[in-house]
């Protein structure tokens, strides 16, 4: 069995955990802050996330090649990263101009926001799939704390898939905790990969 290198797996796990950290910072500092007022920090966070997602895609493509037994998991991270790149790009390129267009163009801003969140929920659902796959793999291979983390990753991944697919179907704000479930799944996917890296090489 060809395994991805320990450094590769560790790097992806760290980047996943960093995306969770940026989301927490965003919520803690920008909740209730307008697009224009919070733009310097908001755009900085989104640019950081865009770069992180780009790096995750590149690294996961390498993992996809080097780990045939976990191809579905690595492929899920590739697609989730690409979708997140689109979502971040929409925010960076469209939110500020659409907001500055004024009240007469509020429906346009609503459309941009709905489109952005569709990609957001889709990415969270796909990350949930990655968490499910990596969690099950760790659960089967590890007999210690990794078994617990693997189970939590798999469970959180399944929940994230269900809630975020429902959110895609029903629309923004219609499914409580959908985004949060994706962030939790991302956290446990990162933890599962981190522990899996201890088994590499």
């Amino acid at each position: 069995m060809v395994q991805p290198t320990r450094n590769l797996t560790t790097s992806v796990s760290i980047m996943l955990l960093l995306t969770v950290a940026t989301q927490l910072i965003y919520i803690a500092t920008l909740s209730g802050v307008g697009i224009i007022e919070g733009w310097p920090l908001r755009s900085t966070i989104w640019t950081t996330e865009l770069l992180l997602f780009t790096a995750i895609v590149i690294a996961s493509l390498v993992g996809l090649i080097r780990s045939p037994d976990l191809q579905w998991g690595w492929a899920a991270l590739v697609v989730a990263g690409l979708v997140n790149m689109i979502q971040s790009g929409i925010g960076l390129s469209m939110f500020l101009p659409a907001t500055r267009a004024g009240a007469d163009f509020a429906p346009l801003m609503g459309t941009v926001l709905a489109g952005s969140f569709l990609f957001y929920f889709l990415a969270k659902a796909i990350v949930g799939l990655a968490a499910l796959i990596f969690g099950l793999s760790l659960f089967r291979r590890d007999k210690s704390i990794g078994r617990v983390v693997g189970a939590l990753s798999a469970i959180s991944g399944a929940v994230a898939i269900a809630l975020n697919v429902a959110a895609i179907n029903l629309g923004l704000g219609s499914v409580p905790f959908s985004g949060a479930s994706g962030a939790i799944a991302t956290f446990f996917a990162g933890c599962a990969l981190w522990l899996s890296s201890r088994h590499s090489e």
Side-chain angles (χ1 to χ4, degrees):
M1 178 177 64
V2 181
Q3 291 283 358
T5 64
R6 173 178 291 191
N7 288 341
L8 172 69
T9 309
T10 301
S11 297
V12 174
S13 69
I14 291 172
M15 288 186 286
L16 287 171
L17 295 175
L18 285 174
T19 65
V20 177
T22 59
Q23 290 178 65
L24 292 175
I25 293 171
Y26 185 95
I27 293 169
T29 59
L30 292 170
S31 291
V33 179
I35 295 293
I36 296 175
E37 296 81 359
W39 188 252
L41 178 57
R42 181 174 276 110
S43 62
T44 299
I45 292 174
W46 284 347
T47 300
T48 301
E49 290 182 336
L50 180 61
L51 295 175
L52 284 170
F53 293 135
T54 302
I56 287 170
V57 169
I58 295 170
S60 297
L61 282 170
V62 178
L64 180 63
I65 295 169
R66 293 186 178 182
S67 185
D69 59 326
L70 289 174
Q71 282 183 332
W72 285 95
W74 289 110
L77 285 184
V78 170
V79 176
L82 289 171
V83 174
N84 269 312
M85 289 166 63
I86 295 172
Q87 190 260 338
S88 297
I90 290 174
L92 283 168
S93 63
M94 298 183 186
F95 274 30
L96 189 60
T99 302
R100 284 178 170 166
D104 290 342
F105 291 88
L108 171 62
M109 181 57 189
T111 300
V112 171
L113 187 66
S116 176
F117 269 92
L118 184 148
F119 287 114
Y120 175 82
F121 294 134
L122 178 59
K124 296 301 184 190
I126 301 171
V127 165
L129 176 61
L132 176 62
I133 293 168
F134 289 128
L136 288 175
S137 174
L138 183 63
F139 181 80
R140 294 189 188 107
R141 290 190 296 130
D142 201 303
K143 302 300 181 184
S144 58
I145 186 65
R147 194 172 179 87
V148 176
V149 173
L152 291 173
S153 181
I155 293 168
S156 65
V159 172
I161 292 169
L163 291 183
N164 284 280
V165 168
I168 291 170
N169 182 48
L170 298 174
L172 176 62
S174 57
V175 182
F177 309 115
S178 51
S181 70
I184 294 170
T186 303
F187 173 79
F188 281 113
C191 292
L193 274 175
W194 178 278
L195 291 175
S196 294
S197 71
R198 306 306 98 185
H199 297 282
S200 300
E201 297 186 338

